[in-house]
Amino acid sequence: MPEQYQQLTDGRLGVGIGRAALAPPQVASLLFRQDPLGVLVPAGHRFAGLEGVPVADLATEPLLLAEEVRAPEFNQFTVEMCRAAGFTPAVDGGTVESIRAAADLVAQGRCLYCVPSSCIAALPGTIWRPLTDPASYYPWSVLWRVADDADHVHAVVSCAQAMSKRLGWLAVGQAAQ
């Protein structure tokens, strides 16, 4: 079980954010954003000038994954997306602890990195291009312990729901998990 789910179920964490598809039954969730997924490429890369990058075109590129303990759901989502497009990704040998560290490796031309649009602010030396054919969306959910009815939990869930509605974050791909 990913660490965040464990922390929620045993009470060490009140609220989490992540993908709810693998949450155990004791963890409740509210989908609040379908975040367009794209790929970080170095300036000058053959994808840099494209409007969008077909997922299948990633088959010939080394992809970097996040450190498994930090982002197991996102790594699994990335691998599943590639397999659905007909290939197993050629994973770069290392992993990274942060998007900033990933951007540094991408900028050096070592690999590419799939990342949701909400995570790309201020990453010098890289260009983000949306994934297409099919377009992919990462499902962000608020997560909390089913039995927890604390005011702060309700406040976070209500805030996420209100932001989602106001900003139209569920306008696309609502059925994905």
Side-chain angles (χ1 to χ4, degrees), residues 114-140:
C114 292
V115 63
S117 66
S118 64
C119 302
I120 59 170
L123 296 174
T126 65
I127 297 166
W128 184 85
R129 289 292 174 254
L131 290 170
T132 61
D133 300 321
S136 292
Y137 299 89
Y138 191 74
W140 291 107

Side-chain angles (χ1 to χ4, degrees), residues 61-99:
E61 300 287 339
L63 289 182
L64 184 65
L65 294 179
E67 191 175 80
E68 188 65 19
V69 71
R70 293 184 181 270
E73 300 104 328
F74 186 75
N75 286 347
Q76 181 182 27
F77 185 85
T78 301
V79 170
E80 287 170 358
M81 174 190 67
C82 293
R83 287 185 179 148
F87 69 98
T88 299
V91 176
D92 182 78
T95 60
V96 287
E97 294 184 8
S98 70
I99 291 173

